[in-house]
Amino acid sequence: MNYDLIVVGSGPGGYVAAIRASQLGMKVAVVEKAELGGVCLNWGCIPTKALLKSANVFEYLKHAKDYGISIDTEPKADFSAMVKRSRDVAAGMSKGIQFLFKKNKIDVLEGFGKVLPGKKVEVKAEDGKSKEYSANHIIIATGARSRELPNLKQDSKKIIGYRKAMVLEKQPESMVVVGSGAIGSEFAYFYNAIGTKVTLVEVMPNIVPVEDEDVSKQLERSFKKAGMKIMTNATVEEVDTRGKKCKVKIKTSKGEETIEADIVLSAVGISSNIEGIGLAEAGITVEKDKIKVDEFYRTNVEGYYAIGDVVSGQALAHVASAEGILCVEKIAGHNPEPINYNNIPGCTYCSPEVASVGYTEKAAKEAGYEIKVGKFPFSASGKASAAGSKDGFVKVIFDAKYGELLGVHMIGANVTEMIAEAVVARKLETTGHEIIKAVHPHPTMSEAIMEAAAAAYGEVIHL
């Protein structure tokens, strides 16, 4: 059968590209070997947020007295019930993708997809039978998986990746989390919040190392305050899994330290799923684990495209979705504007949450900007005080010459819901004074953006 478009992979890049293509009048098929929605929906973004919400509610219950509420019995974390709720949420969302595909008349080709020369895709089903399909255009959106280090091989029992961390049979008493990016920090928070003794190990000088240094330091303080052990400038040399517990040998600037833990969670990044999908046979160029594409996601072979985690750029669900839409609109003959990757928001959903967009203070200086920096702490926010969530701040960075908003960095309760304002402001090339004069509702956490902007220009009211 011939299609206008075949998408290999149904994650947030693939399924969004397929739906947009259908909206634009194309006959579309999607190849998927597992659950619709890919890793993000089934094993990443969505189920982890369900776990984090459970941890968040548990923490509220533990601090009920702070809000004038008495609870007769001590709240307990039911780990298996939390896991079940998370899986149920993911399953429901996957069914939602099925509905959207049916609504948009998108065919689902179940099996492992392999691109072939001549604009063809081979789909191999679980029973081993293969069938070929042709299309005018083929988008590769096969995503990524947890990266394994040579000295940190995952056995899914004692050394695990993020997928296993979501469905452990029982809550571990202790855990070492290796890597403090978004995945590592979120799982470290979740397990620590429900009572697991957590040690977070990061090779860089600061946790969440891609974030502004002020944010990293604040998150480290918050994590330590919550009872977590943080080890930066540290590397895991080896893990001995022969005994009942893992013996984790960690090298630090002060020497070696061995920590015992029930589980070691490896969260050291991702590897692209590009093996065995026919790239070499089709003549598609690969560089350093990534498919090489242009600004419209065209590979070096006409009719073949790639989006999401298999191409260079931020490995984020919303990036993959944006790339999929842009790619399809270009195929359809539209004239879309290439994505500005310096205006992509990043979010980490631990507690306190972290959200950012644009230049960090250090990066802005390195880029040659003369800058104005404003910072407003949530300890000075009426809404934050009322909510009992005073940890954190909003930090804004402006170009001193023209007032351009270069970067926004937030840490605190619900800041992942606030960062979109900064993304839109940067997209519209808003200046500092325009943000100051845009009336923000009171009392809200979002007032901190206006106050931080005012602080940069010496006009802050509530600090």
Side-chain angles (χ1 to χ4, degrees):
M1 184 180 290
N2 185 68
Y3 291 92
D4 294 315
L5 174 68
I6 293 178
V7 182
V8 185
S10 73
Y15 87 74
V16 169
I19 291 171
R20 184 64 182 128
S22 178
Q23 290 174 345
L24 293 171
M26 298 184 204
K27 184 180 181 182
V28 183
V30 173
V31 182
E32 179 53 63
K33 66 175 183 176
E35 310 99 331
L36 291 179
V39 168
C40 174
L41 193 151
N42 294 283
W43 296 101
C45 320
I46 305 304
T48 55
K49 302 311 160 285
L51 290 174
L52 292 167
K53 186 61 179 179
S54 291
N56 193 235
V57 171
F58 180 57
E59 285 195 315
Y60 267 128
L61 290 173
K62 286 196 297 182
H63 294 92
K65 285 185 179 180
D66 297 344
Y67 297 89
I69 299 169
S70 295
I71 298 177
D72 293 336
T73 58
E74 187 73 18
K76 294 180 180 179
D78 187 337
F79 182 71
S80 56
M82 290 180 178
V83 170
K84 183 182 183 302
R85 176 179 181 272
S86 169
R87 301 315 309 152
D88 288 346
V89 169
M93 294 297 293
S94 187
K95 288 178 182 176
I97 303 299
Q98 292 178 29
F99 167 76
L100 290 173
F101 276 8
K102 188 175 181 180
K103 175 185 174 184
N104 288 279
K105 298 179 173 61
I106 296 166
D107 291 344
V108 177
L109 310 177
E110 295 183 5
F112 183 85
K114 180 179 180 181
V115 297
L116 304 174
K119 298 181 182 179
K120 293 180 180 179
V121 175
E122 177 190 74
V123 180
K124 189 173 184 178
E126 276 191 11
D127 60 9
K129 293 180 181 179
S130 297
K131 190 172 182 180
E132 288 187 10
Y133 301 86
S134 60
N136 299 328
H137 306 276
I138 297 167
I139 295 177
I140 300 164
T142 47
R145 64 188 181 280
S146 179
R147 184 162 69 97
E148 287 194 67
L149 296 180
N151 61 336
L152 209 57
K153 290 288 186 182
Q154 296 173 23
D155 59 13
S156 293
K157 294 177 181 177
K158 290 185 176 179
I159 303 177
I160 64 173
Y162 62 83
R163 288 182 69 138
K164 186 64 177 178
M166 280 184 273
V167 290
L168 284 172
E169 288 75 21
K170 64 176 183 178
Q171 180 184 343
E173 291 181 10
S174 55
M175 174 182 282
V176 171
V177 179
V178 186
S180 70
I183 293 173
S185 290
E186 288 178 6
F187 276 115
Y189 161 70
F190 168 72
Y191 278 102
N192 185 74
I194 63 172
T196 297
K197 184 180 179 182
V198 174
T199 300
L200 182 59
V201 180
E202 172 56 52
V203 68
M204 300 297 284
N206 298 298
I207 62 171
V208 286
V210 301
E211 300 294 342
D212 188 89
E213 193 172 320
D214 287 349
V215 169
S216 299
K217 288 178 178 177
Q218 174 62 56
L219 185 61
E220 183 171 338
R221 287 193 294 270
S222 296
F223 275 179
K224 285 180 176 177
K225 183 180 173 183
M228 201 184 299
K229 182 173 182 176
I230 308 292
M231 300 178 73
T232 52
N233 285 315
T235 56
V236 173
E237 298 295 290
E238 63 179 23
V239 180
D240 184 349
T241 59
R242 290 173 295 180
K244 187 177 181 181
K245 289 182 178 288
C246 299
K247 291 183 179 179
V248 188
K249 186 184 288 185
I250 302 169
K251 185 180 179 181
T252 71
S253 56
K254 298 177 182 178
E256 285 190 350
E257 182 177 344
T258 299
I259 293 176
E260 289 194 347
D262 296 318
I263 295 288
V264 176
L265 169 58
S266 178
V268 292
I270 59 171
S271 296
S272 303
N273 293 325
I274 58 174
E275 302 89 351
I277 62 170
L279 299 180
E281 296 93 321
I284 295 170
T285 301
V286 174
E287 288 184 352
K288 296 179 180 178
D289 189 43
K290 300 291 183 181
I291 299 172
K292 189 177 180 181
V293 293
D294 67 8
E295 61 186 355
F296 297 111
Y297 311 101
R298 297 175 291 206
T299 70
N300 61 303
V301 181
E302 184 186 355
Y304 295 80
Y305 312 78
I307 61 171
D309 294 354
V310 295
V311 304
S312 295
Q314 300 103 311
L316 299 168
H318 44 283
V319 171
S321 296
E323 290 173 347
I325 291 171
L326 190 150
C327 179
V328 163
E329 289 180 348
K330 187 66 175 179
I331 289 170
H334 293 202
N335 190 30
E337 179 185 337
I339 293 171
N340 174 8
Y341 286 94
N342 196 32
N343 200 31
I344 299 292
C347 296
T348 303
Y349 300 84
C350 50
S351 183
E353 292 182 350
V354 174
S356 62
V357 66
Y359 289 93
T360 62
E361 182 175 349
K362 181 181 177 183
K365 289 176 180 176
E366 289 175 348
Y369 287 101
E370 183 184 339
I371 61 175
K372 285 183 178 290
V373 177
K375 199 171 175 182
F376 188 80
F378 285 123
S379 59
S381 162
K383 179 63 179 295
S385 291
S389 304
K390 296 193 289 182
D391 275 3
F393 57 83
V394 172
K395 178 178 179 178
V396 294
I397 303 159
F398 296 102
D399 172 20
K401 188 174 182 181
Y402 298 110
E404 178 190 356
L405 179 60
L406 298 176
V408 177
H409 307 275
M410 308 177 181
I411 179 167
N414 300 314
V415 296
T416 59
E417 302 293 342
M418 292 164 51
I419 194 64
E421 175 182 343
V423 178
V424 174
R426 278 174 49 76
K427 175 70 173 173
L428 298 176
E429 299 181 352
T430 302
T431 65
H433 280 104
E434 286 175 324
I435 294 173
I436 296 168
K437 297 304 180 185
V439 179
H440 285 60
H442 176 78
T444 60
M445 301 286 281
S446 64
E447 284 177 292
I449 299 172
M450 175 186 69
E451 295 275 22
Y457 288 90
E459 301 176 18
V460 64
I461 299 295
H462 293 100
L463 188 64

